[in-house]
């Protein structure tokens, strides 16, 4: 039995100088970052992984040297001089922010303040002699999950050059490369995230998670935790007045596992501690003693379908099956000139957004005002109300633009527990997850096993495709059934296949929950399909470009599950043609070249009624308030709303204020499916038109709506269903050196329909390519036989650092989407869908070895480092 930890808080003080001011802080803090944030009130230094020191978000200058504050003990900090962004000269702050904004070097912005500090240190040291290789090497201490580092390196080069950087301003209008809304405040750390918020009388919450992935909970002893000075209250499942289970689609995810319940993965919550400060809350959570009967976890999805129930209170381990058949596949394959029979296996991947999940709940009258960084604040509101057993009108959830999500903040993390703590204690409560808790709790990318049989005729034209997929969805539904449904629908990629038979099964296990992650099943499915295309091309004796050209969809053809493609599908051909020149040139130069071609839906589709609303309101002070229903998480949806409103109303962009909260009924569910720009633009446009028709009167809410109500369910059995209202398309080539295997360049041509903001579009593609390269080569989040994740630090995830990122050239293609506002298509997800297939083929041309498992570097028989 593990010994109970004993916590004794010292009253000693450390003297140091912070931003030129002598101060004293408590020595009890676990590191300098905690002292700066919790006692001094410094918020530009962000806590992304403390005390790992692997994200760089908390970088400061300590006696003039850049260092991560979470790596500095209070003993080492004593007597030192600390400089944070708050203490920089105002002109220098402005110049740094302008440089990053001008180059589109920030998206969510969470990592940016730390990088700015590093940039200052480098520029002070090297000045105009600072070169690109040095920048990329020194940025190895920093993670950015959004940008792919391209804009960051360019911004530091610009700043180091010493040239004048004019003031930047947001600009309105469709097609304008405006800087990002709030870009300078984000860069400097002045626009706070949830964990940066402070309110009077605020207490702190900390979660106690499960010790075993599958175990009956016999008792939860909180006596030692209650005895710790500073503890206010401890709540468990016994204290929940309303629903115990929540969920976006199925209400199967317990917010607490109570005594008498059973844990189903290591992210299950047993209790929340409320204390006067964060350190005490976390220490008290460690003191909660839980007794279990430990059961054998079910961790193999291939055997789970015939095993005992993995999840407490649920029958069976089959979450969903998505399937369809067109034509006679067996006959078509029997008559094919060439065939491929291959097993492809993809891995579980962690989103690794830089901002750990955080919630602040503040009592307001008989209800709560909740600050959330979730991807669907109206869903948050409804689920919190259900857990508390109150009317949803008594709960207001306000979006605080988050520090990255990529699908991982669709499901609630700690919102319900924090709201319960505030509701029952009567105190404002903020709860921020540690990086390890974040890893345990939120949904990941599905690992999928894909059995594929395909065939073509002697000219390389596809004749048939048969696919069987098994996806490990973990214990709770999340959106796992939709991910496997999407994988099934996208199984044939952007190709015409006259005979097709697809079945995709989502399986419950006691591994990490899997759900939404950028690409949403399309990248798993199309890694397999692109592998098929390259294998068939070799058999036929034609190039990878040629076989894709001969099979690519176009307007009027029948695709995949039977959908007849609209005029927007001309984007496939345009993307292929856009990369033809670079493809041929690289091959002629003796390079190894891989090509990936892909499509990805925009919107939920599959018969789901999608309604997005927006409100435009003219205030007496001249400000125009634009409210929409989408979460800003770095992708730029606030900027899109601003640009559309400025275009439609004919006003300056600096008059526009963007707000998202649940005080109006605008909600469209989760910000997912690459639909925020498309549907957000449509609803804001409609609201502006309503305002113009009424003379734009002050003090009136002008509401606009955009809806997609013309899609069909896959299960409807229609011969030609409209599964999705829009698709984005992309072609990417990966160019490698044949002698070393080093990837030298990626050329990415992306059809976005209409680029509302080309600068932000380019940044989205660059960031997605970076993520796609990591997905292909190095990223992994495995679990052991006990369902326990084995990569529990940011560095262990295998995310590519700046020096490892090749040159990325982005080509924006615009093939307008019918029935979409301004012809917009989504770009957020498709950026990494073609990448893994292209990487795999490029490396095959290096060494002649076919890869069918991801990540390639883990499963490769040769050293590709």
């Amino acid at each position: 039995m593990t010994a109970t930890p004993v916590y004794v808080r010292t009253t000693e003080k450390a003297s140091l100088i912070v931003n030129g001011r002598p101060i004293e802080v408590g020595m009890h803090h676990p590191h300098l970052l905690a002292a700066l944030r919790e006692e001094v009130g410094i918020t530009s230094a962000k806590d992304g992984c403390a005390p790992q020191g692997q994200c760089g978000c908390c970088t400061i200058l300590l006696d003039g040297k850049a260092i991560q504050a979470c790596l500095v003990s209070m003993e080492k900090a004593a007597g030192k001089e600390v400089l944070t962004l708050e203490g920089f000269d105002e002109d220098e702050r402005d110049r740094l922010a302008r440089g990053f904004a001008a180059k589109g070097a920030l998206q969510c912005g969470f990592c940016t303040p730390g990088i700015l500090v590093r940039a200052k240190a480098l520029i002070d040291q090297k000045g105009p002699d600072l070169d690109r290789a040095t920048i990329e090497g020194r940025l190895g201490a920093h993670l950015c999950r959004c940008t792919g580092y391209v804009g960051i390196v360019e911004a530091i080069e610009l700043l180091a050059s010493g040239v004048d950087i004019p003031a930047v301003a947001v600009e309105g209008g469709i097609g304008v490369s405006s800087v990002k809304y709030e870009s300078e405040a984000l860069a400097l750390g002045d626009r706070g995230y949830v964990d940066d918020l402070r309110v009077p009388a605020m207490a702190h919450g900390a979660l106690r998670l499960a010790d075993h992935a599958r175990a009956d909970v016999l008792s939860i002893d909180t006596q030692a935790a209650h005895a710790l000075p500073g503890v206010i209250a401890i709540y468990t499942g016994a204290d929940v007045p309303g629903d115990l289970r929540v969920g976006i689609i199925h209400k199967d995810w317990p917010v607490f596992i109570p005594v008498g319940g059973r844990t189903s993965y290591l992210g299950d919550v047993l209790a929340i501690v409320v204390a006067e400060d964060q350190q005490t809350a976390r220490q008290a959570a460690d003191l909660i003693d839980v007794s279990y009967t430990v059961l054998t976890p079910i961790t193999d999805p291939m055997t789970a379908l015939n095993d005992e129930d993995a999840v407490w209170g649920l029958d069976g381990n089959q979450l969903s099956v998505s399937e369809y058949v067109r034509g006679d596949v067996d006959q078509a394959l029997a008559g094919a000139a060439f065939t491929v029979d291959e097993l492809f296996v993809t891995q579980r991947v962690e989103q690794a957004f830089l901002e750990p999940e955080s919630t602040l709940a503040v009592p307001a009258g008989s209800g709560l005002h909740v600050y959330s960084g979730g991807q669907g604040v109206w869903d948050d509101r409804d689920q919190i109300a259900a857990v508390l057993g109150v009317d949803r009108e008594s709960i207001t959830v306000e979006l605080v633009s988050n520090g990255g999500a990529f699908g991982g903040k669709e499901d609630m993390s700690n919102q319900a527990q924090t709201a319960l703590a505030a509701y029952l204690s009567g105190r404002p409560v903020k709860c921020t997850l540690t990086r390890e808790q974040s890893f345990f709790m939120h949904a990941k990318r599905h690992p999928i096993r894909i059995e594929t049989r395909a065939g073509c005729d002697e000219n390389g034209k596809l004749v048939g495709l048969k696919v069987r997929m098994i996806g490990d969805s973990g214990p709770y539904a999340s959106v796992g059934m939709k991910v496997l449904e999407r994988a099934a629908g996208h199984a044939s990629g952007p190709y015409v296949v006259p005979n097709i038979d697809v079945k995709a099964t989502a399986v419950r296990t006691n591994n990490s929950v899997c759900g939404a992650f950028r690409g949403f099943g399309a990248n798993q499915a199309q890694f397999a399909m692109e592998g098929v295309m390259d294998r068939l091309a070799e058999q036929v004796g034609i190039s990878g470009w040629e076989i894709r050209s001969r099979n690519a969809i176009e307007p009027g053809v029948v695709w995949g599950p039977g959908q007849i493609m609209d005029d927007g599908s001309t984007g496939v051909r345009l993307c292929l043609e856009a990369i033809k020149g670079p493809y041929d040139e690289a091959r002629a130069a003796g390079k190894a070249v891989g090509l990936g071609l892909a499509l990805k839906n925009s919107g939920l589709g599959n018969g789901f009624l999608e309604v997005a609303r927006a409100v435009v309101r003219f205030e007496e002070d001249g400000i125009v308030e634009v409210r929409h229903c989408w979460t800003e998480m770095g992708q730029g949806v606030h900027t899109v709303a601003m640009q559309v409103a400025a275009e439609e109303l004919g006003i300056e962009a600096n008059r526009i204020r963007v707000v998202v909260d649940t005080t109006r009924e605008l909600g469209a569910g989760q910000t997912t499916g690459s639909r925020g720009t498309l549907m957000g633009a449509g609803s804001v446009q409609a609201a502006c038109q309503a305002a113009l028709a009424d003379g734009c009167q002050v003090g009136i809410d002008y509401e606009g709506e955009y809806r997609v109500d013309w899609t069909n369910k896959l299960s409807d059995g229609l011969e030609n269903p409209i599964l999705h209202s829009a698709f984005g398309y992309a072609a990417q080539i990966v160019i490698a050196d044949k002698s070393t295997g080093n990837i030298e360049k990626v050329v990415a041509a992306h059809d976005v329909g209409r680029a509302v903001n080309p600068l932000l579009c380019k940044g989205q593609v660059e960031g997605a390519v970076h993520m796609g390269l990591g997905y292909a080569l190095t990223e992994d989040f495995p679990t052991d036989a006990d369902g326990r994740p084995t990569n529990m630090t940011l560095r262990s995830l295998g995310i590519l650092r700046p020096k490892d990122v090749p040159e990325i050239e982005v080509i924006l293609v615009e093939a307008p989407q019918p029935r979409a506002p301004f012809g917009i298509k989504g770009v957020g997800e498709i950026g990494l869908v073609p990448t893994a297939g292209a990487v795999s083929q490029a490396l095959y041309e290096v060494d002649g070895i076919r890869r069918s498992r991801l990540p390639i570097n883990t499963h490769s028989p040769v050293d590709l480092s």
Side-chain angles (χ1 to χ4, degrees):
M1 186 173 179
T2 304
T4 300
V6 177
Y7 297 104
V8 179
R9 173 168 294 191
T10 179
T11 58
E12 295 180 27
K13 296 283 187 178
S15 298
L16 58 160
I17 298 173
V18 177
N19 296 330
R21 182 169 60 94
I23 65 168
E24 287 190 340
V25 295
M27 291 288 289
H28 64 276
H29 295 289
H31 39 67
L32 177 58
L33 176 62
L36 291 174
R37 289 185 58 84
E38 302 305 323
E39 188 169 346
V40 185
I42 296 291
T43 57
S44 67
K46 309 299 182 186
D47 185 351
C49 68
Q52 295 178 11
Q54 296 180 5
C55 71
C57 297
C58 64
T59 300
I60 58 165
L61 296 180
L62 188 69
D63 284 350
K65 295 182 179 180
I67 189 170
Q68 296 94 309
C70 74
L71 295 179
V72 180
S73 68
M74 295 309 301
E75 289 77 13
K76 289 183 179 180
K80 298 293 199 312
E81 184 171 347
V82 175
L83 185 62
T84 73
L85 267 175
E86 287 89 343
F88 284 20
D89 176 80
E90 199 60 39
D91 289 341
E92 186 173 35
R93 281 168 51 88
D94 290 345
R95 189 169 187 275
L96 288 166
R98 289 199 305 269
F100 268 62
K103 289 296 183 179
L106 71 158
Q107 290 183 27
C108 82
F110 194 82
C111 67
T112 312
I115 294 175
L116 287 188
V117 174
R118 179 77 57 180
K120 172 182 167 55
L122 288 173
I123 294 167
D124 287 350
Q125 181 183 16
K126 298 283 188 178
D129 295 329
L130 183 61
D131 59 70
R132 192 179 191 90
T134 301
I135 294 171
E136 291 176 344
R138 297 293 181 86
L139 284 177
H142 297 265
L143 272 179
C144 175
R145 199 59 162 153
C146 298
T147 68
Y149 302 105
V150 177
I152 292 172
V153 174
E154 291 176 352
I156 297 176
E157 286 181 315
L158 174 66
L159 290 162
S161 71
V163 302
D164 181 57
I165 303 173
V168 294
V170 293
E171 297 180 72
I174 303 301
V176 176
S177 286
S178 171
V179 299
K180 184 179 174 64
Y181 180 78
E182 298 184 319
S183 58
E184 293 187 58
L186 282 166
L188 295 169
D190 293 343
R191 206 283 282 142
Y193 302 85
V194 175
D195 193 39
D196 297 327
L197 302 179
R198 307 285 188 272
V199 297
M202 185 178 77
H204 294 260
L207 302 182
R208 172 66 158 89
L209 301 186
D211 300 290
H212 306 280
R214 187 166 178 258
D216 291 331
V217 178
L218 304 180
S219 67
I220 301 175
D221 184 353
T222 63
Q223 184 175 354
H226 269 298
L228 193 67
V231 170
I232 299 166
I234 300 174
Y235 302 110
T236 68
D239 298 300
V240 175
D243 295 345
L244 185 66
R245 290 178 170 84
V246 297
I248 299 171
I249 299 174
H250 296 325
K251 307 300 182 187
D252 65 347
W253 197 329
V255 295
F256 293 99
I257 304 298
V259 173
R262 176 178 294 175
T263 66
S264 297
Y265 85 129
L266 286 161
D268 275 327
V269 179
L270 301 176
I272 183 169
V273 175
V274 182
E276 295 294 351
D277 61 80
Q278 183 183 82
Q279 186 178 2
T280 299
R282 289 178 175 177
Q283 290 172 345
D286 290 341
L287 291 172
I288 296 174
D289 184 30
V290 183
S291 297
Y292 305 87
T293 297
V294 180
L295 305 173
T296 301
I298 296 167
T299 58
D300 183 353
M302 298 304 296
T303 60
L305 290 174
N306 298 314
D307 212 329
E308 56 188 275
D309 297 342
V311 184
W312 172 52
L314 300 179
D315 293 328
N317 297 329
Q318 179 176 289
L319 174 61
S320 67
V321 175
S322 301
E323 55 188 335
Y324 58 92
V325 177
R326 277 195 303 109
D328 190 330
V329 174
D330 291 336
Q331 183 178 0
L333 292 176
F338 303 101
T339 59
V340 169
D341 195 334
E342 187 74 74
L343 170 65
F344 296 89
V345 179
T346 69
Q347 78 280 39
R348 183 182 297 103
V349 184
E350 156 67 30
Q351 289 90 346
F353 39 77
L354 270 294
E355 177 209 20
E357 299 90 331
S358 185
T359 302
L360 169 62
V362 180
S366 61
L368 295 174
H369 190 107
V370 180
Y371 298 88
S372 171
Q375 289 184 234
V377 293
W378 278 267
D379 284 349
D380 288 356
R381 178 200 61 184
D382 294 349
Q383 293 179 87
I384 289 169
V387 169
L388 300 182
V390 300
D391 293 335
R392 68 181 192 180
E393 288 75 18
S394 66
I395 308 295
T396 295
V397 179
E398 179 177 340
L399 170 70
V400 179
S401 300
N402 67 42
F406 312 109
K409 294 179 180 176
E410 289 191 17
D411 304 285
M412 290 203 300
S413 55
N414 60 3
Q415 288 96 323
Q417 296 89 350
T418 309
L420 177 76
Y423 184 72
L424 295 180
S425 71
R427 291 273 299 271
V429 177
K430 183 173 69 177
C431 178
T432 301
L433 301 187
T434 66
R435 176 56 62 180
E436 291 82 2
Q437 288 176 328
S438 177
F439 281 170
F440 279 129
M441 289 186 71
H442 67 251
K444 312 291 185 278
R445 186 185 304 287
H446 283 75
I448 303 181
R449 186 179 190 273
I450 309 169
E451 296 180 19
T452 306
R453 291 190 64 214
C456 67
D457 64 19
E458 63 277 5
N459 296 313
K461 294 278 285 185
L462 294 168
V463 297
L465 175 67
K466 186 172 186 176
V467 179
R468 295 293 182 267
M469 303 185 195
I470 298 288
D472 182 350
S473 217
Y476 305 125
S478 180
V479 292
M481 68 292 290
K482 291 298 180 182
V483 173
L484 270 294
E485 180 183 71
R486 196 77 75 251
H490 287 65
S492 58
Y495 306 113
V496 178
V497 184
N499 302 282
I500 187 168
D501 179 351
V502 177
K503 181 178 181 180
T505 304
V507 181
R508 295 185 191 266
T509 68
N510 297 120
N511 296 317
S512 301
V513 177
C514 288
F517 189 171
R518 193 180 207 171
F520 207 86
N523 35 357
Q524 294 99 314
Q526 289 177 78
F527 166 64
M529 191 62 198
E530 291 304 280
V532 164
M533 298 302 284
D534 287 322
R535 287 158 173 78
L536 288 175
E538 184 176 49
Q539 293 183 52
V540 177
I542 59 178
S543 72
W545 190 94
E546 185 59 37
I547 196 169
R548 288 166 173 83
S549 178
R550 294 181 187 184
N551 290 282
I553 57 174
E554 60 186 23
V557 303
V558 176
W559 165 77
Q563 180 162 345
I564 298 173
M565 301 308 288
D566 61 26
D567 288 344
S569 63
T570 57
V572 177
R573 176 64 54 187
L574 293 175
C575 289
L576 262 179
E577 295 296 336
I579 54 90
K580 181 67 161 60
Y583 178 84
D584 289 342
E585 290 169 11
R587 285 163 59 88
K591 299 294 184 180
V593 186
L595 167 61
L597 187 65
L599 84 168
K600 173 67 177 68
N601 65 290
S602 296
L604 303 181
N606 285 287
F608 194 88
L609 174 62
E610 300 180 73
V611 182
R613 298 183 180 90
V615 164
V616 169
R617 181 183 178 91
F618 292 79
E619 303 290 0
E620 291 185 357
D621 60 2
I623 292 295
V624 179
E625 187 175 84
V626 176
R627 293 175 172 268
H628 63 83
C629 57
W630 306 103
T631 291
E632 173 60 63
M633 46 193 169
Q635 83 280 40
V637 71
H638 281 356
T639 311
V640 168
M642 176 201 71
Q643 289 187 243
V644 171
E647 168 101 355
E648 293 294 312
L649 298 173
I651 62 174
E652 294 297 319
N654 60 12
R655 288 182 55 193
I656 296 169
R657 178 174 64 232
V658 182
V659 178
V660 178
D661 65 28
T662 62
T663 57
R664 276 79 163 174
E665 288 301 322
L666 310 178
Q670 298 294 312
T671 305
T672 187
S674 299
R675 63 188 183 137
T677 294
L678 190 159
M679 298 193 72
S683 57
V684 171
Q685 181 187 45
C688 291
Q689 290 172 351
L692 290 169
D694 192 46
C696 300
Q697 297 183 51
V698 171
I700 295 177
D701 280 5
Y702 292 105
E703 185 173 303
E705 177 183 289
Y706 179 80
R707 63 172 53 209
V708 175
D709 56 7
W710 61 86
T711 66
N712 310 117
K713 294 179 182 178
L714 181 62
S715 59
D716 285 346
L718 300 176
E719 182 178 356
N720 297 117
I722 300 174
L723 292 179
H724 299 291
S725 62
F727 292 90
Y729 303 97
Q732 293 180 3
I733 58 171
V734 171
I735 302 169
D737 183 281
K738 279 191 175 179
S739 62
T740 65
N742 291 334
I743 295 174
E744 299 176 338
K745 185 176 182 178
V746 178
V747 181
H750 282 252
D751 170 29
V752 301
R754 179 75 186 280
V756 177
N757 185 316
L759 177 67
L760 298 192
C761 263
K762 177 175 176 288
Q764 281 286 293
V765 175
E766 290 166 347
V769 168
H770 167 258
M771 191 174 282
L773 290 170
Y775 175 56
L777 292 168
T778 54
E779 292 190 36
D780 202 358
F781 194 76
T783 54
D784 63 19
D786 293 323
R788 184 173 297 277
T790 56
N791 290 347
M792 289 299 291
T793 65
L794 286 170
R795 191 168 291 279
S796 70
L797 299 178
I799 299 168
L800 298 181
R801 298 283 171 153
K803 66 180 179 58
D804 304 314
V805 180
E807 178 186 354
I808 301 172
E809 178 186 346
V810 177
I811 302 170
L812 295 181
V813 173
E814 295 183 309
Q817 176 62 41
R819 301 180 72 174
F822 309 105
I824 292 169
K825 299 172 181 174
V827 69
E829 294 180 276
I830 192 172
L832 55 70
V833 176
T835 316
V839 170
S840 178
Q841 177 61 21
L843 295 179
Y844 172 73
E845 294 193 4
V846 172
D847 58 19
I849 299 171
R850 288 286 182 197
R851 278 99 175 159
S852 58
R853 297 176 65 93
L854 298 179
I856 287 169
N857 279 13
T858 299
H859 299 287
S860 176
V862 296
D863 182 8
L864 296 169
S865 60

